[in-house]
Amino acid sequence: MTTFVCAGCEAALSVALLRVALPAHAHQQWGNGTLLPVLMEPGTYAVDPEPSGLPWRWSAVGRDEAAAGGGFAPASALSFGTPGAIVVAPGDTRGTALIPERCDGYCCGLDGSSGPNLACEQCGQPVATRVDDCSLWQAVWFARDAVRGLSTDKPADWADCWDAQGRQGAPPVDPSGAWSPQWAAAVGAGLAHLLAASEGAPVALPDGLIADTFGRTLDVLLPSGEPAKTVALTGPGLPCREPAPDIFLVPQHPQTGVPWRASGRARTVPLPADVWTQLAFPGERLLLPVTGGLPDGVHRDDPLPMCPRGPFRPDWGVFLHTLARIPAVRQPWLRRIYDRVKDRPYVHPF
């Protein structure tokens, strides 16, 4: 567990927290005026390895400047802030106060556009940015150079922290009947890696939820025909498939975000652990008691699975952000896809 303290005066700024992988939807903007919930689960934190926050370049950013910020394709905006921002749930912070002159927001709350808007109550130094505007995930982002972590534990290995049969997958459809924004972000990031792994060849997906979420986009962006590269899931709790596919969809470590290492020469595409679990083990509900059976005359009346109102659309912004940070985007065929999607944000399949 880690407690974050002010780098200037050592005052405690958080409760004890467990490190987890940075969510794929951490910087997602979703909908128009949508009030999104808190990004992080209570008692957890994550670290963003990329630069974030002020200063920003909002004009065209060339290839060399983009590479300095971790990208391999030109971008319309790029942060030149300090890497390593730490994100926590707002309810897990302690000893902070808002800075009134920095409480800017686009619509319904704070968006952090003026820089850190939370100060240490004890010494007054800016330490974090509270975000809670509409269409943004609610979070507090500690500045890496403003805080210090105490008593960091060693991350657990796969055997200690992962039990695929017992983990809860993230449902792809929310209670309103709409596709989950977390899934839109996760699949958007996974699509970028899957395109790079395809090397421009057709891709054959297994039937089911994988085809429902990845298929429409790949049908538009990749050619059809044979031979097609095969795709399958692998990870903890899944047997090895024979013959081995060309591309594996693998889970990221729940704490570190490091992808599962698949055996063989197949390319790998990382997915958030809870999304991968839902794909790998979609029917985890126990239909009978663990011991014995149902009493005579008792029948189960489980609700049907949620069905989405329309076809799945991956997150356009997350897709482009991820693709721009894959070195293969410099290859002409993939760069053409990047430019095509970037210039047409509201065209099928996005």
Side-chain angles (χ1 to χ4, degrees), residues 201-270:
V203 170
L205 298 173
D207 293 334
L209 190 54
I210 295 177
D212 292 341
T213 51
F214 287 86
R216 294 175 67 249
T217 309
L218 293 176
D219 289 343
V220 172
L221 300 181
L222 289 177
S224 59
E226 298 291 340
K229 293 194 174 184
T230 55
V231 177
L233 293 158
T234 192
L238 283 185
C240 296
R241 170 178 164 174
E242 296 293 341
D246 300 297
I247 302 170
F248 275 126
L249 304 181
V250 301
Q252 295 171 288
H253 192 284
Q255 289 186 14
T256 65
V258 175
W260 173 271
R261 180 175 294 181
S263 60
R265 298 182 178 181
R267 303 284 295 273
T268 57
V269 172

Coordinates of all heavy atoms in Angstrom, one line a residue, residues 201-270:
A201 N -2.8 -7.4 -43.2 CA -3.5 -8.5 -43.8 C -4.9 -8.7 -43.2 O -5.2 -8.1 -42.2 CB -2.6 -9.8 -43.5
P202 N -5.8 -9.4 -43.9 CA -7.1 -9.7 -43.4 C -7.0 -10.4 -42.0 O -6.0 -11.1 -41.8 CB -7.8 -10.6 -44.4 CG -7.0 -10.3 -45.7 CD -5.6 -10.0 -45.2
V203 N -8.0 -10.2 -41.2 CA -8.0 -10.8 -39.8 C -9.3 -11.6 -39.7 O -10.4 -11.1 -40.0 CB -7.9 -9.8 -38.7 CG1 -8.1 -10.4 -37.4 CG2 -6.5 -9.1 -38.8
A204 N -9.2 -12.9 -39.2 CA -10.3 -13.7 -38.9 C -10.6 -13.8 -37.4 O -9.7 -14.2 -36.7 CB -10.1 -15.1 -39.5
L205 N -11.7 -13.3 -37.0 CA -12.0 -13.2 -35.6 C -13.0 -14.4 -35.2 O -13.8 -14.8 -36.0 CB -12.7 -11.9 -35.2 CG -12.0 -10.6 -35.5 CD1 -12.9 -9.4 -35.3 CD2 -10.8 -10.5 -34.6
P206 N -12.8 -14.9 -33.9 CA -13.8 -15.9 -33.5 C -15.2 -15.2 -33.3 O -15.3 -14.0 -33.0 CB -13.2 -16.3 -32.1 CG -12.3 -15.2 -31.7 CD -11.8 -14.6 -32.9
D207 N -16.2 -16.0 -33.4 CA -17.6 -15.5 -33.3 C -17.9 -15.1 -31.9 O -17.2 -15.6 -30.9 CB -18.6 -16.6 -33.7 CG -18.5 -16.9 -35.2 OD1 -18.1 -16.0 -36.0 OD2 -18.8 -18.1 -35.6
G208 N -18.9 -14.3 -31.7 CA -19.3 -13.9 -30.3 C -18.9 -12.4 -30.1 O -18.9 -11.6 -31.0
L209 N -18.7 -12.1 -28.8 CA -18.4 -10.8 -28.4 C -17.2 -10.1 -29.1 O -17.2 -8.9 -29.3 CB -18.3 -10.7 -26.9 CG -18.3 -9.3 -26.2 CD1 -19.6 -8.5 -26.7 CD2 -18.3 -9.4 -24.7
I210 N -16.2 -11.0 -29.3 CA -15.0 -10.4 -30.0 C -15.4 -9.9 -31.4 O -15.0 -8.8 -31.8 CB -13.9 -11.5 -30.1 CG1 -13.4 -11.9 -28.7 CG2 -12.7 -11.0 -30.9 CD1 -12.4 -13.0 -28.7
A211 N -16.1 -10.7 -32.1 CA -16.5 -10.2 -33.5 C -17.5 -9.0 -33.4 O -17.4 -8.1 -34.2 CB -17.2 -11.4 -34.2
D212 N -18.3 -9.0 -32.4 CA -19.3 -7.9 -32.2 C -18.6 -6.6 -32.0 O -19.1 -5.6 -32.4 CB -20.3 -8.2 -31.1 CG -21.2 -9.4 -31.4 OD1 -21.3 -9.7 -32.6 OD2 -21.8 -10.0 -30.5
T213 N -17.5 -6.6 -31.2 CA -16.9 -5.4 -30.8 C -15.7 -5.0 -31.7 O -15.5 -3.8 -31.9 CB -16.4 -5.5 -29.4 OG1 -15.6 -6.7 -29.2 CG2 -17.6 -5.5 -28.4
F214 N -15.0 -5.9 -32.3 CA -13.8 -5.6 -33.1 C -14.1 -5.7 -34.6 O -13.5 -5.1 -35.4 CB -12.7 -6.6 -32.8 CG -12.0 -6.3 -31.5 CD1 -12.4 -6.9 -30.3 CD2 -10.8 -5.5 -31.5 CE1 -11.8 -6.7 -29.1 CE2 -10.2 -5.3 -30.2 CZ -10.7 -5.8 -29.1
G215 N -15.1 -6.6 -34.9 CA -15.3 -6.9 -36.3 C -15.7 -5.8 -37.3 O -15.1 -5.7 -38.4
R216 N -16.7 -5.0 -36.9 CA -17.1 -4.0 -37.9 C -16.0 -3.0 -38.3 O -15.9 -2.6 -39.4 CB -18.3 -3.2 -37.3 CG -19.6 -4.0 -37.0 CD -20.7 -3.2 -36.3 NE -21.2 -2.1 -37.1 CZ -21.0 -0.8 -36.9 NH1 -20.3 -0.4 -35.9 NH2 -21.5 0.1 -37.7
T217 N -15.2 -2.6 -37.3 CA -14.1 -1.7 -37.6 C -13.0 -2.3 -38.5 O -12.6 -1.7 -39.4 CB -13.5 -1.2 -36.3 OG1 -14.5 -0.7 -35.4 CG2 -12.5 -0.1 -36.5
L218 N -12.7 -3.6 -38.1 CA -11.7 -4.2 -38.9 C -12.1 -4.5 -40.4 O -11.3 -4.4 -41.3 CB -11.3 -5.6 -38.3 CG -10.5 -5.4 -36.9 CD1 -10.3 -6.8 -36.3 CD2 -9.2 -4.7 -37.1
D219 N -13.4 -4.7 -40.5 CA -14.0 -4.9 -41.9 C -13.8 -3.7 -42.7 O -13.7 -3.8 -44.0 CB -15.5 -5.3 -41.8 CG -15.7 -6.7 -41.3 OD1 -14.7 -7.5 -41.3 OD2 -16.8 -7.0 -40.9
V220 N -13.9 -2.5 -42.1 CA -13.7 -1.3 -42.8 C -12.2 -0.9 -43.1 O -11.9 -0.4 -44.1 CB -14.4 -0.1 -42.1 CG1 -14.1 1.2 -42.7 CG2 -15.9 -0.4 -42.0
L221 N -11.4 -1.2 -42.1 CA -10.0 -0.7 -42.1 C -9.1 -1.6 -42.8 O -8.0 -1.2 -43.3 CB -9.5 -0.3 -40.7 CG -10.3 0.7 -40.0 CD1 -9.7 1.0 -38.6 CD2 -10.4 2.0 -40.8
L222 N -9.4 -2.9 -42.8 CA -8.5 -3.9 -43.4 C -9.1 -4.6 -44.6 O -10.4 -4.6 -44.7 CB -8.2 -5.0 -42.4 CG -7.3 -4.6 -41.2 CD1 -7.1 -5.8 -40.2 CD2 -5.9 -4.2 -41.7
P223 N -8.3 -5.1 -45.5 CA -8.9 -5.8 -46.7 C -9.5 -7.1 -46.3 O -9.3 -7.7 -45.2 CB -7.6 -6.0 -47.6 CG -6.5 -6.1 -46.7 CD -6.8 -5.1 -45.6
S224 N -10.4 -7.6 -47.2 CA -11.0 -8.9 -47.0 C -10.3 -10.0 -47.8 O -9.5 -9.6 -48.7 CB -12.5 -8.9 -47.3 OG -12.6 -8.5 -48.7
G225 N -10.6 -11.2 -47.6 CA -10.1 -12.3 -48.4 C -9.2 -13.2 -47.6 O -9.2 -13.2 -46.4
E226 N -8.5 -14.1 -48.3 CA -7.7 -15.1 -47.7 C -6.3 -15.0 -48.3 O -6.1 -14.5 -49.4 CB -8.2 -16.5 -48.0 CG -9.6 -16.8 -47.4 CD -9.6 -16.9 -45.9 OE1 -8.6 -17.1 -45.3 OE2 -10.7 -16.7 -45.3
P227 N -5.2 -15.5 -47.6 CA -5.3 -16.0 -46.2 C -5.5 -14.9 -45.2 O -4.9 -13.8 -45.3 CB -4.0 -16.7 -46.1 CG -3.0 -15.9 -46.9 CD -3.8 -15.5 -48.1
A228 N -6.2 -15.2 -44.1 CA -6.5 -14.2 -43.0 C -5.7 -14.7 -41.8 O -5.6 -15.9 -41.5 CB -7.9 -14.1 -42.7
K229 N -5.2 -13.7 -41.0 CA -4.5 -14.0 -39.8 C -5.6 -14.4 -38.7 O -6.6 -13.7 -38.6 CB -3.7 -12.9 -39.3 CG -2.5 -12.6 -40.3 CD -1.5 -11.7 -39.7 CE -0.2 -11.6 -40.6 NZ 0.9 -10.8 -40.0
T230 N -5.3 -15.4 -38.0 CA -6.3 -15.9 -37.0 C -6.0 -15.2 -35.6 O -4.9 -14.9 -35.3 CB -6.2 -17.4 -36.8 OG1 -4.8 -17.8 -36.6 CG2 -6.7 -18.1 -38.1
V231 N -7.1 -15.1 -34.9 CA -7.0 -14.4 -33.6 C -7.7 -15.3 -32.5 O -8.7 -15.9 -32.8 CB -7.8 -13.0 -33.6 CG1 -7.7 -12.4 -32.2 CG2 -7.1 -12.1 -34.6
A232 N -7.1 -15.4 -31.3 CA -7.6 -16.1 -30.2 C -7.2 -15.5 -28.9 O -6.3 -14.7 -28.8 CB -7.2 -17.6 -30.3
L233 N -7.9 -15.9 -27.8 CA -7.6 -15.5 -26.5 C -6.6 -16.4 -25.8 O -6.7 -17.6 -26.1 CB -8.9 -15.4 -25.6 CG -9.9 -14.4 -26.0 CD1 -11.3 -14.8 -25.5 CD2 -9.5 -13.0 -25.5
T234 N -5.7 -15.9 -25.0 CA -4.9 -16.7 -24.2 C -4.6 -15.9 -22.9 O -4.7 -14.7 -22.9 CB -3.6 -17.1 -24.8 OG1 -3.0 -18.1 -24.1 CG2 -2.6 -16.0 -25.0
G235 N -4.3 -16.6 -21.8 CA -4.0 -16.0 -20.6 C -4.3 -16.9 -19.4 O -4.5 -18.1 -19.6
P236 N -4.3 -16.5 -18.2 CA -4.5 -17.3 -17.0 C -5.9 -18.0 -17.0 O -6.9 -17.4 -17.3 CB -4.4 -16.4 -15.8 CG -4.6 -15.0 -16.4 CD -4.1 -15.1 -17.8
G237 N -5.8 -19.3 -16.8 CA -7.1 -20.1 -16.8 C -7.5 -20.6 -18.1 O -8.6 -21.3 -18.2
L238 N -6.8 -20.3 -19.2 CA -7.2 -20.8 -20.6 C -6.2 -21.8 -21.0 O -5.0 -21.5 -21.0 CB -7.3 -19.6 -21.6 CG -8.5 -18.7 -21.5 CD1 -8.4 -17.7 -22.7 CD2 -9.8 -19.5 -21.6
P239 N -6.6 -22.9 -21.6 CA -5.7 -23.9 -22.1 C -5.1 -23.4 -23.4 O -5.6 -22.5 -24.1 CB -6.6 -25.1 -22.4 CG -8.0 -24.5 -22.6 CD -8.1 -23.3 -21.7
C240 N -3.9 -23.9 -23.7 CA -3.2 -23.5 -25.0 C -4.0 -24.0 -26.1 O -4.5 -25.2 -26.1 CB -1.8 -24.1 -25.0 SG -0.7 -23.4 -23.7
R241 N -4.1 -23.2 -27.2 CA -4.8 -23.6 -28.4 C -3.9 -24.2 -29.4 O -2.8 -23.7 -29.6 CB -5.6 -22.4 -28.9 CG -6.2 -22.7 -30.3 CD -6.9 -21.5 -30.8 NE -7.2 -21.6 -32.2 CZ -7.9 -20.7 -32.9 NH1 -8.5 -19.7 -32.3 NH2 -8.1 -20.9 -34.2
E242 N -4.3 -25.3 -30.0 CA -3.6 -25.9 -31.1 C -4.5 -26.0 -32.3 O -5.6 -26.5 -32.2 CB -3.0 -27.3 -30.7 CG -2.0 -27.2 -29.6 CD -0.7 -26.6 -29.9 OE1 -0.5 -26.5 -31.2 OE2 0.0 -26.2 -29.0
P243 N -4.0 -25.6 -33.5 CA -2.7 -24.9 -33.8 C -2.7 -23.5 -33.2 O -3.8 -22.9 -33.1 CB -2.6 -25.0 -35.3 CG -4.0 -25.0 -35.8 CD -4.7 -25.8 -34.8
A244 N -1.6 -23.0 -32.9 CA -1.5 -21.6 -32.4 C -2.0 -20.6 -33.4 O -1.7 -20.7 -34.6 CB -0.1 -21.3 -31.9
P245 N -2.7 -19.6 -33.0 CA -3.2 -18.5 -33.9 C -2.0 -17.6 -34.3 O -0.9 -17.7 -33.7 CB -4.3 -17.8 -33.1 CG -3.8 -18.0 -31.7 CD -3.2 -19.3 -31.6
D246 N -2.3 -16.7 -35.2 CA -1.3 -15.7 -35.5 C -1.2 -14.6 -34.5 O -0.1 -13.9 -34.3 CB -1.6 -15.1 -36.9 CG -1.6 -16.2 -38.0 OD1 -0.5 -16.8 -38.2 OD2 -2.7 -16.4 -38.6
I247 N -2.3 -14.3 -33.9 CA -2.4 -13.1 -32.9 C -3.2 -13.6 -31.7 O -4.3 -14.2 -31.8 CB -3.2 -11.9 -33.6 CG1 -2.4 -11.5 -34.8 CG2 -3.2 -10.8 -32.6 CD1 -3.2 -10.5 -35.7
F248 N -2.7 -13.3 -30.5 CA -3.3 -13.6 -29.3 C -3.8 -12.3 -28.6 O -3.1 -11.2 -28.6 CB -2.3 -14.2 -28.3 CG -2.2 -15.7 -28.4 CD1 -0.9 -16.3 -28.6 CD2 -3.3 -16.5 -28.3 CE1 -0.8 -17.6 -28.7 CE2 -3.2 -17.9 -28.4 CZ -1.9 -18.5 -28.6
L249 N -5.1 -12.3 -28.1 CA -5.6 -11.3 -27.2 C -5.2 -11.7 -25.8 O -5.7 -12.7 -25.3 CB -7.1 -11.1 -27.4 CG -7.6 -10.8 -28.8 CD1 -9.1 -10.6 -28.8 CD2 -6.9 -9.6 -29.4
V250 N -4.5 -10.8 -25.1 CA -4.0 -11.2 -23.8 C -4.4 -10.2 -22.7 O -4.6 -9.0 -23.1 CB -2.4 -11.4 -23.8 CG1 -2.0 -12.4 -24.8 CG2 -1.7 -10.0 -24.1
P251 N -4.5 -10.5 -21.5 CA -4.8 -9.6 -20.4 C -3.6 -8.8 -20.0 O -2.5 -9.3 -20.0 CB -5.4 -10.4 -19.3 CG -4.6 -11.7 -19.4 CD -4.4 -11.9 -20.9
Q252 N -3.9 -7.6 -19.5 CA -2.8 -6.8 -18.8 C -2.9 -7.1 -17.3 O -3.9 -7.3 -16.7 CB -3.0 -5.3 -19.1 CG -2.8 -4.9 -20.5 CD -3.3 -3.5 -20.8 OE1 -4.5 -3.2 -20.7 NE2 -2.3 -2.6 -21.0
H253 N -1.7 -7.1 -16.7 CA -1.6 -7.4 -15.2 C -2.5 -6.3 -14.5 O -2.5 -5.1 -14.8 CB -0.2 -7.2 -14.8 CG 0.0 -7.7 -13.4 ND1 -0.4 -7.0 -12.3 CD2 0.6 -8.9 -12.9 CE1 0.0 -7.7 -11.2 NE2 0.6 -8.8 -11.5
P254 N -3.4 -6.8 -13.6 CA -4.3 -5.9 -12.9 C -3.7 -4.8 -12.2 O -4.3 -3.7 -12.0 CB -5.1 -6.8 -12.0 CG -5.0 -8.2 -12.6 CD -3.6 -8.2 -13.2
Q255 N -2.4 -5.0 -11.7 CA -1.7 -3.9 -10.9 C -0.7 -3.1 -11.8 O -0.7 -1.9 -11.7 CB -1.0 -4.5 -9.8 CG -1.9 -5.1 -8.7 CD -1.2 -5.5 -7.4 OE1 0.0 -5.2 -7.3 NE2 -1.8 -6.3 -6.6
T256 N 0.1 -3.8 -12.6 CA 1.1 -3.1 -13.3 C 0.8 -2.7 -14.7 O 1.4 -1.9 -15.3 CB 2.4 -4.0 -13.4 OG1 2.1 -5.2 -14.1 CG2 2.8 -4.4 -12.0
G257 N -0.2 -3.4 -15.3 CA -0.6 -3.1 -16.7 C 0.3 -3.9 -17.7 O 0.1 -3.8 -18.9
V258 N 1.3 -4.7 -17.2 CA 2.2 -5.4 -18.1 C 1.4 -6.6 -18.8 O 0.7 -7.3 -18.1 CB 3.4 -6.0 -17.4 CG1 4.2 -6.9 -18.3 CG2 4.2 -4.9 -16.8
P259 N 1.4 -6.7 -20.1 CA 0.7 -7.8 -20.8 C 1.1 -9.2 -20.4 O 2.3 -9.4 -20.2 CB 0.9 -7.5 -22.3 CG 1.3 -6.1 -22.3 CD 2.1 -5.8 -21.1
W260 N 0.2 -10.1 -20.4 CA 0.5 -11.5 -20.2 C 1.5 -12.0 -21.4 O 1.2 -11.6 -22.5 CB -0.8 -12.3 -20.3 CG -0.6 -13.8 -20.3 CD1 -0.5 -14.6 -21.4 CD2 -0.6 -14.7 -19.1 NE1 -0.4 -15.9 -21.0 CE2 -0.4 -16.0 -19.6 CE3 -0.7 -14.5 -17.8 CZ2 -0.4 -17.1 -18.8 CZ3 -0.7 -15.5 -16.9 CH2 -0.5 -16.8 -17.4
R261 N 2.5 -12.7 -21.0 CA 3.4 -13.2 -22.0 C 3.0 -14.5 -22.6 O 3.0 -15.5 -21.9 CB 4.8 -13.3 -21.4 CG 5.9 -13.8 -22.4 CD 7.3 -13.8 -21.8 NE 7.7 -12.4 -21.5 CZ 8.9 -12.2 -21.0 NH1 9.7 -13.1 -20.7 NH2 9.2 -10.9 -20.7
A262 N 2.6 -14.5 -23.9 CA 2.1 -15.8 -24.5 C 3.3 -16.5 -25.1 O 4.3 -16.0 -25.5 CB 1.2 -15.4 -25.6
S263 N 3.2 -17.9 -25.0 CA 4.3 -18.7 -25.6 C 4.2 -18.7 -27.1 O 3.1 -18.4 -27.7 CB 4.1 -20.1 -25.0 OG 2.9 -20.7 -25.4
G264 N 5.3 -19.1 -27.8 CA 5.3 -19.1 -29.2 C 5.6 -17.8 -29.9 O 6.0 -16.8 -29.2
R265 N 5.4 -17.8 -31.2 CA 5.8 -16.6 -31.9 C 4.6 -15.7 -32.3 O 4.8 -14.7 -33.1 CB 6.5 -17.0 -33.2 CG 7.8 -17.8 -33.0 CD 8.4 -18.2 -34.3 NE 9.7 -18.9 -34.1 CZ 10.5 -19.3 -35.1 NH1 10.1 -19.1 -36.4 NH2 11.6 -19.9 -34.8
A266 N 3.4 -16.0 -31.8 CA 2.3 -15.2 -32.1 C 2.4 -13.8 -31.6 O 3.0 -13.6 -30.5 CB 1.0 -15.9 -31.6
R267 N 1.9 -12.8 -32.3 CA 1.9 -11.4 -31.9 C 0.8 -11.3 -30.8 O -0.2 -12.1 -30.7 CB 1.5 -10.5 -33.0 CG 2.4 -10.5 -34.2 CD 3.7 -9.8 -34.0 NE 3.5 -8.4 -33.8 CZ 3.5 -7.5 -34.8 NH1 3.6 -7.9 -36.0 NH2 3.3 -6.2 -34.5
T268 N 1.0 -10.4 -29.9 CA 0.0 -10.2 -28.8 C -0.6 -8.8 -28.8 O 0.0 -7.8 -29.2 CB 0.7 -10.4 -27.4 OG1 1.8 -9.5 -27.3 CG2 1.2 -11.9 -27.3
V269 N -1.9 -8.8 -28.4 CA -2.7 -7.5 -28.3 C -3.2 -7.4 -26.9 O -3.9 -8.3 -26.4 CB -3.9 -7.6 -29.3 CG1 -4.8 -6.3 -29.0 CG2 -3.4 -7.6 -30.7
P270 N -2.7 -6.4 -26.1 CA -3.1 -6.3 -24.7 C -4.5 -5.7 -24.6 O -4.9 -4.8 -25.3 CB -2.1 -5.3 -24.1 CG -1.7 -4.5 -25.3 CD -1.8 -5.4 -26.5

